[in-house]
Amino acid sequence: MSETNNSILINLGKAINQIVVGQPTLIKQTLIALLAGGHIILEGVPGTGKTLLVKVLAQLIQSDFRRIQLTPDVLPSDITGTNIFDLNTRDFTLKKGPVFTEILLADEINRTPPKTQAALLEAMEEMQVTLDGESLPLPDLFWVIATQNPLEFEGTYPLPEAQLDRFLFKLVVDYPEQAAEKQMLLNRQSGFTAKRTDIANLKPVTTVIDILQARQAVKQVQVSEAIVDYLLEIVRKSRQYPDLALGASPRAAGAWLQTSQAAAWLSGRNFVTPDDVKSVASPLLRHRLLLKPEAMLDGLQIDAVVAAVINQVPVPR
């Protein structure tokens, strides 16, 4: 797959859009995160297709897929696995947990205690799991999509800022428009019920190997010094913005550059433009920036603040 041959990913996006109706921006941002190799938080009320999106994507790229329903009683070993003593062989046998997969859906990550969250986040950061002193590598594609419900806070364990920073994007799943919701009903009427058998019958569009090759092509997308300076100036402005208690971190700056390259590659270009930088700003920053208490009381929305910060920096010519 060449650095400008993005047709496979475009076809993948079209195939997902046929099933997950009315969410084109969400799907494009998900593909950008996949190309950049960064993990995602999906936030939305129940029934908006978060789990369906991940299942369909995994089927269409023929990847291994596991899903964990996180609850307060889930232990770290339930995710990573453990060594079990076998009475027959009188030796310990490794039982791998669901983290040993290519695409992992962690449902309602804010419902599980910090110790369990930390076990998952360690695997995300290090691309390996350590069990009884032995380091076990995870698959090359290893990609985590964590969901959370923004409406329920009782009995939850919100991720702290340092752990949120490990996620590349925070994507907000909103209700579809009326026409899209009507199409969903027509799809259901025609027999598609989004059950496991229906998803398993979807024809794959590409492979995991193609995705890994595309990730390498994304790294070859050119970024001019003017674009780097533009991005860094926005990052600096975020740290000085009066309504923000916490600005973008150096990790965020690096991730921003990488996702801008992915956005450019997906658009069929081998160079990054200011529009690429701006297009990924909200999903990249909305979970990393922290509003001051008085700004929250004034009802400021984080996406509006991100736009205001960007508008303070002149676009390079």
Side-chain angles (χ1 to χ4, degrees):
M1 183 184 289
S2 70
E3 63 183 13
T4 56
N5 182 16
N6 63 350
S7 58
I8 292 178
L9 269 294
I10 290 175
N11 291 335
L12 175 61
K14 290 179 179 177
I16 299 173
N17 272 295
Q18 291 178 354
I19 306 300
V20 185
V21 183
Q23 302 286 0
T25 301
L26 171 69
I27 291 168
K28 182 178 181 180
Q29 291 172 343
T30 301
L31 293 180
I32 289 173
L34 176 62
L35 286 169
H39 310 290
I40 294 176
I41 294 178
L42 277 180
E43 184 175 276
V45 298
T48 48
K50 300 186 295 296
T51 301
L52 175 63
L53 168 62
V54 183
K55 286 182 176 180
V56 168
L57 176 58
Q59 172 65 21
L60 292 175
I61 69 172
Q62 306 176 63
S63 68
D64 291 332
F65 170 76
R66 296 281 188 90
R67 175 176 179 261
I68 313 171
Q69 183 64 52
L70 295 171
T71 56
D73 60 345
V74 173
L75 301 174
S77 59
D78 295 329
I79 294 176
T80 60
T82 187
N83 284 308
I84 298 176
F85 186 73
D86 190 329
L87 291 174
N88 294 324
T89 61
R90 296 193 177 279
D91 199 0
F92 285 95
T93 303
L94 173 63
K95 182 181 179 182
K96 291 183 176 181
V99 76
F100 289 91
T101 188
E102 290 173 325
I103 295 182
L104 177 68
L105 175 62
D107 254 335
E108 298 190 279
I109 191 171
N110 56 335
R111 288 202 172 280
T112 201
K115 189 175 183 179
T116 305
Q117 291 174 353
L120 178 59
L121 292 167
E122 179 187 4
M124 291 164 50
E125 184 72 13
E126 305 296 335
M127 289 291 290
Q128 67 178 23
V129 171
T130 303
L131 293 174
D132 292 341
E134 181 182 2
S135 295
L136 304 170
L138 296 170
D140 291 336
L141 184 71
F142 182 64
W143 191 42
V144 175
I145 298 93
T147 70
Q148 60 183 21
N149 183 345
L151 300 180
E152 297 179 6
F153 298 102
E154 187 174 349
T156 62
Y157 305 87
L159 291 170
E161 285 72 23
Q163 292 184 353
L164 284 172
D165 199 40
R166 305 291 178 92
F167 286 91
L168 180 70
F169 277 176
K170 178 181 178 181
L171 303 181
V172 178
V173 188
D174 207 349
Y175 290 117
E177 296 181 355
Q178 184 174 350
E181 198 160 6
K182 179 179 179 181
Q183 185 60 51
M184 291 167 55
L185 295 177
L186 293 175
N187 288 350
R188 179 177 286 269
Q189 192 176 28
S190 65
F192 185 86
T193 58
K195 300 298 183 184
R196 183 175 60 182
T197 52
D198 290 335
I199 294 174
N201 289 331
L202 294 175
K203 185 178 179 181
V205 174
T206 184
T207 65
V208 170
I209 293 176
D210 286 335
I211 299 299
L212 294 175
Q213 290 176 349
R215 285 182 177 179
Q216 294 303 313
V218 164
K219 295 178 181 178
Q220 305 306 315
V221 173
Q222 299 173 15
V223 186
S224 68
E225 187 174 349
I227 293 294
V228 173
D229 290 340
Y230 174 62
L231 190 154
L232 287 175
E233 183 62 17
I234 300 174
V235 168
R236 191 182 69 84
K237 288 286 186 184
S238 75
R239 297 168 185 167
Q240 300 171 348
Y241 197 75
D243 291 319
L244 291 174
L246 181 68
S249 68
R251 180 191 282 132
W256 202 342
L257 186 65
Q258 192 173 6
T259 51
S260 298
Q261 289 175 293
W265 187 88
L266 195 59
S267 298
R269 282 179 280 102
N270 65 347
F271 60 92
V272 174
T273 68
D275 285 340
D276 295 321
V277 174
K278 291 189 283 187
S279 70
V280 297
S282 285
L284 185 96
L285 295 177
R286 62 167 59 110
H287 59 299
R288 291 184 162 98
L289 305 184
L290 188 63
L291 288 172
K292 289 183 177 178
E294 53 269 30
M296 297 175 67
L297 289 173
D298 288 340
L300 282 181
Q301 299 296 317
I302 194 67
D303 284 0
V305 173
V306 170
V309 172
I310 291 174
N311 288 336
Q312 288 189 348
V313 181
V315 177
R317 301 295 180 187

